[in-house]
Amino acid sequence: MTSSFTVRSAAGYEQLMGRWSRRLAEPFIAFAGIADGERVLDVGCGTGSLTFALAQSAKLDEIAAIDYSPVFVAEAQRRNSDSRISITQGDACALAFEDKRFDRAFSLLVLHFVPEAHKAIAEMRRVVRAGGTVAAAVWDHLGGMPSMRMFWDTIAARGPEARRSRHQYFFQPMMRPDALRQGFLSENLVDVEQTSILIRMDYKNFADYWEPIASGEGPLGKYVSGLDADRLAEAEEAVQAAYQGGEPDGPRSFVSVAWACKGLVPEGD
């Protein structure tokens, strides 16, 4: 498996996205469902936002978490003090678990960074027992993330290369309105349900927004890391003007929407 997400440091990721994935974890678990005594797999655990939320949500027997990035795995392992949780490096498209081992397999903010996302869904289905749940969530980059559109729409005005990068960001796998549901149905999951989950991203000031991007984290950071010093300074000035919106620098709050989908492994599977 390859991943299109750029990881520089755990701290940078936390500022860019980890703090928001923690906000998303609780409503995602409420949508996906959980019950005492279950065994749950977290596919693409990052620094542990969903993993540790699962541990607090029910008296689970086991939580297995995997991630492709050794940076994320090391940080999640460092944070872990729960004997029920195991965290290892792994491939979402080739899970190192036997068939039907888990009651549920979840993936939070991962599938849109997996080029072969259908394989990841198929693998999640494979390791879940009959009657068990597969669930995933991805950001709605095009229609539901104004904080990120603010960056890309500002940058895209600067030329065709930036517009190509914007298009790639908006239309990653599983991000179109019905893509997750269709992906689940194509892997023969049943009782498939898709919804939207809304949180808010609250920034202290422009620096709080810009620092992880400037340091090269994630897709936005990957783009700006390819700019020379002059173009980077121009981009920062333009994005800061968009962030401030003609008002003094300070706190800003942006709504952010994720697509979420769940389905059951058929009985008798």
Side-chain angles (χ1 to χ4, degrees):
M1 182 196 82
T2 57
S3 172
S4 61
F5 191 87
T6 302
V7 181
R8 295 291 182 91
S9 72
Y13 171 79
E14 280 295 300
Q15 188 176 4
L16 178 73
M17 189 54 61
R19 52 183 168 169
W20 314 130
S21 60
R22 283 194 295 277
R23 287 191 180 182
L24 187 62
E26 184 175 342
F28 173 69
I29 293 170
F31 166 73
I34 203 77
D36 292 349
E38 291 186 330
R39 296 187 295 179
V40 181
L41 174 64
D42 180 4
V43 177
C45 64
T47 52
S49 296
L50 178 60
T51 306
F52 300 129
L54 285 166
Q56 297 174 351
S57 297
K59 296 177 181 178
L60 299 175
D61 281 358
E62 177 188 2
I63 304 165
I66 67 107
D67 200 278
Y68 191 67
S69 166
V71 174
F72 286 159
V73 170
E75 178 63 13
Q77 289 174 337
R78 185 189 69 80
R79 295 179 177 189
N80 183 37
S81 60
D82 191 323
S83 61
R84 297 173 298 166
I85 297 174
S86 62
I87 302 163
T88 56
Q89 188 174 6
D91 183 345
C93 294
L95 296 171
F97 300 102
E98 63 270 25
D99 294 356
K100 308 181 191 307
R101 173 172 171 176
F102 298 99
D103 298 289
R104 302 176 195 263
F106 294 163
S107 184
L108 182 66
L109 304 181
V110 175
L111 292 183
H112 48 312
F113 293 115
V114 179
E116 296 180 299
H118 284 275
K119 284 188 178 181
I121 297 171
E123 279 291 273
M124 292 168 71
R125 181 192 190 279
R126 177 184 66 79
V127 301
V128 170
R129 63 167 175 81
T133 299
V134 174
V138 301
W139 289 124
D140 177 7
H141 279 176
L142 177 68
M145 293 198 78
S147 62
M148 304 307 170
R149 280 212 66 150
M150 176 180 68
F151 171 90
W152 284 113
D153 288 345
T154 301
I155 294 296
R158 312 187 76 78
E161 180 184 350
R163 288 193 286 274
R164 285 191 294 270
S165 295
R166 179 181 63 175
H167 177 269
Q168 182 179 13
Y169 180 81
F170 285 168
F171 297 104
Q172 291 171 266
M174 299 293 156
M175 298 191 103
R176 296 176 189 269
D178 200 39
L180 261 183
R181 191 180 73 87
Q182 290 298 326
F184 275 44
L185 290 171
S186 72
E187 299 304 329
N188 298 315
L189 292 159
V190 299
D191 294 338
V192 174
E193 178 184 349
Q194 182 173 299
T195 191
S196 296
I197 300 175
L198 183 152
I199 66 166
R200 295 200 74 92
M201 295 181 175
D202 300 310
Y203 297 95
K204 298 175 184 176
N205 49 38
F206 177 69
D208 189 31
Y209 171 89
W210 182 253
E211 283 172 359
I213 299 171
S215 69
E217 291 294 336
L220 283 64
K222 181 179 180 181
Y223 176 81
V224 302
S225 67
L227 302 177
D228 61 33
D230 289 342
R231 291 175 67 205
L232 177 59
E234 291 173 359
E236 179 177 358
E237 181 180 6
V239 175
Q240 182 169 7
Y243 174 91
Q244 293 179 199
E247 293 288 321
D249 193 13
R252 300 291 189 272
S253 182
F254 299 91
V255 67
S256 299
V257 179
W259 299 115
C261 193
K262 64 181 177 180
L264 301 181
V265 177
E267 294 287 352
D269 188 66

